[in-house]
Amino acid sequence: MLSQIAKARVWKYSPSELVAMEEPVVVEELLAISIEGNSCQYRLYLPGQEKPLALGFLFTAGVIGGLADIAAIEFYPPDPEAGRSWAVVEIGLTESARTRSAAPDLPIVLLKDRGGGDWNAELASRFPPLNRELQIKADDLLALMARLPLRQELFQRTGATHAVAVANVQGDIILSAEDVGRHNAFDKVIGRALLEGLPLHDKITLLSGRVSYEMMFKAARAGIPILAAVSAPTHLAIRLGEALGLTLAGFVRGNRMNIYSHPERLIDLSA
């Protein structure tokens, strides 16, 4: 595997001294996701879990509907001798997957003033139905979020990564990933779930950063009904949660949180 950590010289300043030393820094590499020999996506990423990252991206983008659409998948590290300084994940699709339409790109639709039940129902029809029965105690969700830093080894060493984890309502963190990009970390988790045959319709997503529209979109595409983050959501993320029936909680820290959409999945709130 490509290295995830490098050393950098840093000058540590304080009012009393200036000290030169070496510190660990996280590594960014370039990854090309190629379909049938044609590169469709280049992204900077943290080395590791390249196949899950590619699968998660293609799944949430609507290019594939699951592993059944994958005919072949291979990872190739950088090859300087061949003049290629970036890594590649090469995907071969089945015949039926080659004609699949990409997932709907909805920001413009969401930004329009077209609220209302009929509009929300039409929007929700483009995504898999979310589990309406899933519930978790508010205190249990707070306890899960408090455990997320234990899955952030690289962040503890460098302070430069995001983390995404998938947990169940029994309090177990099942999958997690770190990356320099939030979207990459989420794609890695979703891709691993595909590879391991892990259903996500009864799971919770935990995010180490803010919640953008794209993160909510990925959760909805994967069928995840509850998303919790330590930081704030954007307005468009909240609108998507409201429209799709996805529970969104932000600023989940200590013994507090803000619930922005569909609080009915969080029980014992009065306690």
Side-chain angles (χ1 to χ4, degrees):
M1 187 181 77
L2 298 172
S3 175
Q4 296 181 318
I5 295 287
K7 292 287 187 179
R9 189 173 184 183
V10 57
W11 286 265
K12 293 260 188 183
Y13 168 79
S14 70
S16 60
E17 61 181 356
L18 182 67
V19 180
M21 59 190 304
E22 279 193 340
E23 282 205 341
V25 293
V26 74
V27 169
E28 291 173 302
E29 294 285 354
L30 184 62
L31 177 69
I33 300 173
S34 178
I35 300 176
E36 308 289 344
N38 298 309
S39 296
C40 68
Q41 174 84 188
Y42 287 91
R43 59 205 307 173
L44 289 169
Y45 82 112
L46 177 75
Q49 301 189 56
E50 287 84 1
K51 291 182 181 179
L53 191 162
L55 289 173
F57 166 72
L58 294 178
F59 178 75
T60 56
V63 177
I64 63 172
L67 281 183
D69 289 332
I70 301 296
I73 179 169
E74 296 292 341
F75 169 68
Y76 302 98
D79 188 353
E81 293 185 1
R84 179 171 53 78
S85 58
W86 56 91
V88 177
V89 174
E90 178 64 47
I91 303 285
L93 299 179
T94 62
E95 186 64 33
S96 60
R98 291 173 188 159
T99 59
R100 182 184 299 275
S101 299
D105 189 14
L106 303 173
I108 296 175
V109 176
L110 280 166
L111 284 168
K112 292 180 179 178
D113 186 16
R114 293 178 58 195
D118 291 342
W119 176 74
N120 286 350
E122 190 276 332
L123 179 63
S125 70
R126 307 190 192 187
F127 293 84
L130 296 179
N131 186 342
R132 300 283 182 174
E133 306 302 320
L134 188 70
Q135 291 185 315
I136 185 171
K137 292 181 179 179
D139 284 348
D140 290 346
L141 183 59
L142 290 165
L144 274 172
M145 187 62 78
R147 292 172 52 203
L148 183 59
L150 300 177
R151 299 298 185 105
Q152 295 179 261
E153 177 185 349
L154 290 175
F155 180 82
Q156 302 297 338
R157 296 178 63 187
T158 67
T161 61
H162 294 279
V164 176
V166 167
N168 59 29
V169 295
Q170 288 76 37
D172 305 309
I173 294 180
I174 302 168
L175 297 175
S176 65
E178 285 187 273
D179 203 282
V180 291
R182 292 169 296 126
H183 307 82
N184 291 345
F186 207 170
D187 285 340
K188 285 179 177 180
V189 166
I190 293 171
R192 280 186 59 193
L194 288 173
L195 285 169
E196 297 178 17
L198 178 70
L200 296 177
H201 70 278
D202 57 352
K203 303 298 188 298
I204 299 162
T205 298
L206 308 171
L207 306 183
S208 66
R210 69 182 181 89
V211 186
S212 63
Y213 158 84
E214 292 89 351
M215 300 300 275
M216 291 290 283
F217 186 99
K218 289 180 183 295
R221 286 285 298 166
I224 301 169
I226 300 175
L227 189 149
V230 299
S231 193
T234 65
H235 178 244
L236 208 55
I238 296 169
R239 287 203 65 188
L240 190 59
E242 291 171 344
L244 298 182
L246 200 159
T247 299
L248 170 60
F251 294 105
V252 184
R253 308 172 185 176
N255 62 355
R256 298 176 181 271
M257 71 177 86
N258 292 347
I259 307 164
Y260 295 92
S261 61
H262 295 278
E264 63 271 11
R265 289 194 182 91
L266 299 177
I267 55 177
D268 291 349
L269 292 176
S270 60

